[in-house]
Amino acid sequence: MSPSFCVGGFTIQDPFSRRLKQLSEQKKSRVILALDSIRERSGLGEGEVMRLLEKVEGHIIGVKLGLPAEISLGRSTEAVIKSFPSLAFIADWKLADIPEVCALTSKFLFERGFDAVIVHSFVGAKSLEATRKVAEEAGGGVIAVVAMSHPGASLINSNIDQNLRFCSAARIKNFVAPATDPELISRVKRSLPEATVFSPGVGAQGGEAKDAVLAGADYLIVGRSITSSDDPVGSAVSLVTRTWV
Ligand code: BMP
């Protein structure tokens, strides 16, 4: 059981959030690598993933693996997670289901070694709460998507306040909000000052990393700017130094 506790209705300082903060301060980095592809080829091999992570490990604090990684890596994911104890691993399956299935899927993901799971908030407080309870039992974290970065995200983004209310009711305080629309990041922080914001959409999607941080993003989720670069280490270092303010 995790030693989480409550202040003002929020579960704060879950082990995942504490660890990420520690890693961020140690490495002076806010960057979480979104590992969906390498050089935009489809399919990831265990060997090339290991080699890329060995190169960038000192500059990033975590790795986000989603369905593209799951489909190509499968059970090799466990070996990858075990090989990099100085990185937090986030399972981005964007869970959006009934509470029982969100809970079951999260349980499998924590058993596989992930430190946190990402869940959609629009499914409502019950699904969010079920996921958060499983995370607490596993000593892990939950990150809820309250707004998205792509063109066409208008439906979810226009419901950001309702999505935040669902998350508050479920006592979740880690959120995904888009670097492509820094005003939405500020809105999360204004609504819930204790919020921790993870921002995707930097670089390849046109978001400015520094603007996202100035708007309140705590962590940046970055994929292709690093994974498609001829010099992934150089790209990671440049992003890290520009955004450690
Ligand atoms: P890239 O930096 O290559 O655009 O990758 C962004 C990553 O963040 C992808 O893994 C994507 O699934 C994720 N993401 C996003 O781009 N926008 C969102 O609103 C939510 C996400 O999880």
Side-chain angles (χ1 to χ4, degrees), residues 99-118:
E100 293 78 4
V101 175
C102 283
L104 193 59
T105 314
S106 304
K107 186 168 172 286
F108 290 148
L109 290 166
F110 286 120
E111 281 170 6
R112 215 175 238 211
F114 281 103
D115 300 290
V117 297
I118 295 184

Side-chain angles (χ1 to χ4, degrees), residues 34-36 64 66 92 94 118 145 147-150 153 176-178 200-205 221-225 227:
L35 195 40
D36 300 310
K64 182 183 81 68
D92 181 14
K94 291 194 182 64
I118 295 184
V145 180
M148 295 191 72
S149 61
H150 57 299
V176 171
V202 164
Q205 295 181 50
I221 295 175
V222 184
R224 289 163 291 172
S225 300
T227 60

Side-chain angles (χ1 to χ4, degrees), residues 198-220:
F198 296 70
S199 280
V202 164
Q205 295 181 50
E208 231 334 295
K210 188 117 191 229
D211 292 345
V213 172
L214 292 175
D218 298 278
Y219 304 115
L220 301 167

Side-chain angles (χ1 to χ4, degrees), residues 34 59 119 206 216:
H59 310 292
V119 61

Side-chain angles (χ1 to χ4, degrees), residues 219-237:
Y219 304 115
L220 301 167
I221 295 175
V222 184
R224 289 163 291 172
S225 300
I226 296 172
T227 60
S228 296
S229 168
D230 290 337
D231 175 12
V233 175
S235 301
V237 169

